[in-house]
Amino acid sequence: SSPCAACKLLRRKCTRECVFAPYFSSSEPQKFAQVHKIFGASNVSKMLQELPVERRRDAVASIVYEANARIRDPVYGCLGAIFTLQQQIAQLRKQLSAAQSEMVLLKFQHQ
Amino acid sequence: SSPCAACKLLRRKCTRECVFAPYFSSSEPQKFAQVHKIFGASNVSKMLQELPVERRRDAVASIVYEANARIRDPVYGCLGAIFTLQQQIAQLRKQLSAAQSEMVLLKFQHQ
């Protein structure tokens, strides 16, 4: 069978025990290349090996997300998304508090 | 002068050009150790060198945040925070929409 995207990039033999193979198919070379650029293959390999097999798919998804975020935004990475969400929360809290004040007023006026 | 936390951990001479020295003081060895564990010194060095000097402090802060998040939560890392914020947003939207419906009703009842 053909090597996974990681073994292909790292030019090594893809064995049955390859920790990357289940998550990085050779049909998506960019996915591993980005993870490798940001975290490094050996760090990611260690991170995955420290996790039980059934948690690795989620870990890979979050690592891929973080790597993409860092490539898109080299200064803030994932934190860009966190800041945006925090601003949305502040905005929604403001709207909610305004709505609640208006409601108190409406109830008071029509008592 | 004493080497920065990065050069100390990597056991190398800390020169005047060291890209880590301004952000990783030897008084906070854990800060660099965590970044190194998750991203690897050479990746972080490349990331910083690709940025103008005035953006590097923010980049270091976000890299430190991400590394800490990944160590605390090896499966979701930063995404844990993103999921929590998204849930808060969904919750706030629901409350806001309920408040707006109630307001419409109040206005209608007392017309």
Side-chain angles (χ1 to χ4, degrees):
Chain A
S1 64
S2 71
C4 76
C7 292
K8 211 165 178 181
L9 188 85
L10 304 170
R11 292 160 185 276
R12 63 183 193 186
K13 205 169 145 35
C14 193
T15 66
R16 212 175 275 206
E17 292 76 35
C18 175
V19 73
F20 297 118
Y23 318 108
F24 295 99
S25 114
S26 59
S27 63
E28 296 176 297
Q30 268 306 98
K31 190 175 153 191
F32 183 77
Q34 293 180 333
V35 164
H36 181 49
K37 180 178 169 16
I38 300 302
F39 292 97
S42 100
N43 281 349
V44 175
S45 159
K46 266 182 243 154
M47 290 187 223
L48 293 180
Q49 268 157 347
E50 285 169 9
L51 290 173
V53 174
E54 69 273 16
R55 312 306 311 272
R56 291 185 191 171
R57 191 165 295 278
D58 281 0
V60 165
S62 74
I63 288 167
V64 167
Y65 179 93
E66 272 187 54
N68 282 330
R70 178 65 56 185
I71 287 166
R72 273 200 316 273
D73 181 347
V75 177
Y76 297 106
C78 258
L79 258 79
I82 292 179
F83 292 151
T84 306
L85 293 171
Q86 283 173 336
Q87 279 168 359
Q88 280 180 35
I89 288 176
Q91 181 68 21
L92 283 165
R93 287 215 171 109
K94 227 166 128 180
Q95 288 176 279
L96 186 61
S97 143
Q100 284 164 338
S101 303
E102 202 185 329
M103 221 146 43
V104 168
L105 203 66
L106 279 169
K107 284 178 184 166
F108 179 77
Q109 287 175 336
H110 302 291
Q111 236 170 9
Chain B
S1 64
S2 73
C4 75
C7 292
K8 211 165 176 180
L9 188 85
L10 304 171
R11 293 163 185 276
R12 62 182 194 187
K13 207 169 143 36
C14 193
T15 66
R16 211 176 275 204
E17 293 76 34
C18 175
V19 73
F20 297 117
Y23 318 108
F24 295 98
S25 114
S26 60
S27 64
E28 295 176 296
Q30 268 306 95
K31 189 175 153 191
F32 183 77
Q34 294 181 332
V35 164
H36 181 49
K37 180 176 169 14
I38 300 301
F39 293 96
S42 99
N43 280 350
V44 176
S45 159
K46 267 183 242 154
M47 290 187 222
L48 294 180
Q49 268 157 348
E50 284 169 9
L51 290 173
V53 175
E54 69 273 17
R55 310 307 310 274
R56 292 185 191 170
R57 190 165 295 280
D58 280 0
V60 165
S62 74
I63 288 166
V64 167
Y65 179 93
E66 272 187 55
N68 282 330
R70 177 66 54 185
I71 288 166
R72 273 201 315 273
D73 181 348
V75 177
Y76 297 107
C78 257
L79 257 77
I82 292 179
F83 293 152
T84 306
L85 293 171
Q86 284 173 336
Q87 280 168 357
Q88 279 181 36
I89 288 176
Q91 182 67 19
L92 283 166
R93 287 216 171 108
K94 224 165 131 182
Q95 288 177 279
L96 186 60
S97 144
Q100 283 164 340
S101 302
E102 200 183 331
M103 221 148 40
V104 168
L105 204 65
L106 279 171
K107 284 179 183 167
F108 179 76
Q109 287 174 335
H110 302 291
Q111 235 171 7

